[in-house]
Amino acid sequence: MSKRLNFALLLAAVALIYGNSLRNHFTQDDGLYIDVNPAVKKPTLQKLFASNDNTNVYRPLTFATFALNYKIGGLTPWGYRVVNLFLHAGVCWLLFLVLCQILGESPPARLAALAAAWLFALHPIHVEAVAAVVGRSELLCTSLLLAAWLLHMRDREISALIAFSLALLSKESAVMFLGLVVLGDLVRQQWKPVLRYARIAGITALYFVLLWNVQGGRFGAALVARLDNPLTELPAEWRILNALRVAWKYVALQFYPATLSCDYSFNAIPVYLSWQGNMLAAFGFAAVMAVWIWGSIHYARTPRADRGWLQAGGILGCGIYLIAFSTTSNILMPAGTIMGERLAYLPSVGFCLLVSLAWTWAYKRQRTAALVAIAIIGALLAARTVTRNRDWYDSLTLFSAAV
């Protein structure tokens, strides 16, 4: 199957399962980011690149796309969601290309990359990022990071650095790009000149300086309400331990997205100030980290001829998940919320790859059973996505579904 046909099918699938979201109204923070945001309704370069008191975020490119939407269609939600839909389809396609570039073009590796892209397209945990207009920042950031990653591997450094810079202007979490680049080059065992990594690190450092100055000598909001994120008031050790437990909740939703919510604030997730409540999550995380680090070292020491795409994919998938969550998980620093399904958008790339690897392994041994299994799983995920889109029709339906 040609790459053009694969892209057309992915676009059609995204349009089909997210089509019923196009009639939805603005919900949650959409009004805050658009209707009362002067950088969107009366945009200037100064307003776009200045500190935004309405939202407490620094995302000039995201606001610029909202401003373009507003100029073309005003406050009609349909146009904003069409852009989100196309961005999600673009992310799925870029994901396929990046995985093919890293894992290789062998039939099994290509099949795993395609399966990961399809799983990513259908998974209902992404509804908040796609169906909610303010999810635009996740979509823009992820698409630009994947594009930058692909360009880096194809030795188009200037274009890669431009895409990375634009990703930083879409959402702050793009700062972990260097980690993704090093991970990909480790798996491919095709290292670039040291200065390339230094330039990525330099742009990241410049961005931190810019963000610090724009936000008045701080990173993030000046004050995060306990209602939104109770972890912000905890000592660092308890914040980290509770954040690790929350991280496993994301994993549970990846495997079983039956009960999704737009609101995990206040007491939706209990906070424990004891080892008993956090021990299992902490040991589980430590075990995953130990296995991943050991596997990465073993892989790097294995002769190139003996390395398999399955082993490479496992290291890559786990690494993407860990690196992508590092900036939004409340582990390195407090975030604006204790948990949000939109925050799982980029990390989900790693999860989808790991599942696709397992499926490809099964496909090589029991082809019919594997095809039946993925057809059933795909249909269930698509159906859940369609029904979840309906919850985002307006604020009443959304919060009614969260009760």
Side-chain angles (χ1 to χ4, degrees), residues 125-342:
I125 202 172
H126 302 148
V127 169
E128 182 170 339
V130 182
V133 173
V134 296
R136 176 81 55 88
S137 58
E138 306 290 344
L139 304 170
L140 273 175
C141 180
T142 302
S143 61
L144 288 165
L145 283 180
L146 289 176
W149 200 358
L150 186 64
L151 290 165
H152 165 83
M153 290 186 288
R154 293 180 176 178
D155 292 320
R156 296 171 62 182
E157 184 187 8
I158 301 301
S159 298
L161 293 177
I162 291 173
F164 170 47
S165 300
L166 292 174
L168 289 169
L169 298 178
S170 301
K171 194 182 179 190
E172 302 84 344
S173 57
V175 294
M176 45 65 180
F177 178 61
L178 180 59
L180 294 178
V181 165
V182 172
L183 173 66
D185 292 349
L186 168 68
V187 172
R188 298 169 74 224
Q189 285 295 287
Q190 295 181 24
W191 297 102
K192 308 296 182 184
V194 174
L195 280 178
R196 288 205 187 178
Y197 305 107
R199 281 188 279 267
I200 295 174
I203 290 177
T204 305
L206 287 174
Y207 173 77
F208 275 124
V209 172
L210 173 64
L211 190 62
W212 180 267
N213 288 325
V214 168
Q215 296 190 327
R218 56 180 170 78
F219 293 122
L223 179 65
V224 177
R226 186 180 185 277
L227 181 69
D228 295 322
N229 187 0
L231 301 187
T232 58
E233 298 182 353
L234 301 183
E237 62 273 20
W238 294 120
R239 186 194 77 237
I240 293 171
L241 287 171
N242 278 276
L244 291 176
R245 186 169 47 82
V246 172
W248 287 105
K249 291 184 178 293
Y250 283 109
V251 176
L253 286 180
Q254 293 278 8
F255 278 105
Y256 188 66
T259 304
L260 299 171
S261 176
C262 66
D263 185 13
Y264 291 94
S265 62
F266 191 44
N267 60 350
I269 299 176
V271 174
Y272 295 106
L273 299 179
S274 66
W275 267 101
Q276 288 84 350
N278 298 297
M279 187 182 302
L280 185 61
F283 284 149
F285 175 77
V288 170
M289 285 295 297
V291 170
W292 180 60
I293 293 172
W294 175 86
S296 299
I297 295 173
H298 181 267
Y299 178 84
R301 292 177 175 175
T302 301
R304 185 182 296 270
D306 297 332
R307 296 184 188 125
W309 62 270
L310 195 62
Q311 183 185 8
I315 294 169
L316 180 66
C318 188
I320 291 174
Y321 198 87
L322 294 171
I323 293 170
F325 255 134
S326 64
T327 56
T328 60
S329 60
N330 286 291
I331 293 175
L332 298 181
M333 61 179 293
T337 180
I338 187 172
M339 181 176 179
E341 289 160 16
R342 65 190 179 281

Side-chain angles (χ1 to χ4, degrees), residues 56-73:
N56 290 314
V57 297
Y58 185 68
R59 300 171 187 175
L61 183 59
T62 299
F63 291 158
T65 65
F66 286 151
L68 183 59
N69 263 129
Y70 179 76
K71 185 166 183 64
I72 294 173

